Amino acid sequence: MDHEVLGSIVLLAIVSLISVLQNAFFATKVEHESKNYNSKTFQRAGSSAFERVFTANQNCRDAYPTFLVVLWCAGLLCSQAAAAFAGLIYLFVRQKYFVGYLGERTQSTPGYIFGKRIISFLFLMSVAGILNYYLVLIFGSDFEVYIKTVTNTISPLLLIP
């Protein structure tokens, strides 16, 4: 594969692989809690601790396809570095959500809200990239440099709670 092509997607691939490891970690937690409750096999019904782990895992799995789509769209259409940074922050927030859900459910709320903000940012990056494509196609005006500058400048603001 061409090094230039690899260079334009390598950060997105790294974030995607880290997210796979995180999903494996969540699944391991569900399996471990299931075995603690019933040592023979995996069962859906169980203790309240198992229910919390299972629900947190399920909630994270439900949002996972959306995260991957907006991560890759934002990275390919707009700015790989800003999208990868936002993706890493999202993974950290998702970890905070998962661990918060294991305690009191109200502890998971900040992680959930922060995660929504990051998904929205990645979505807006994707839309900006698509709009830029059509501006080039229709009017011949390329705003890619400006869009990358704005997204790279705004992405650290995602750290503000």
Side-chain angles (χ1 to χ4, degrees), residues 12 15 70-71 74-75 79-88 121-122 125 152:
L12 302 174
V15 172
V70 295
L71 172 72
S79 172
Q80 177 189 200
F85 177 74
L88 286 174
F121 174 73
L122 289 170
M125 282 180 63
N152 288 337

Side-chain angles (χ1 to χ4, degrees), residues 20 28 34 72-74 96 117 125 143 148:
V20 169
T28 303
S34 172
W72 278 87
C73 287
K96 182 174 174 46
R117 183 171 28 163
M125 282 180 63
F143 294 101
K148 283 186 177 183

Side-chain angles (χ1 to χ4, degrees), residues 21 29 77 131 140 156:
L21 292 175
K29 286 289 195 185
L77 298 171
L131 287 176

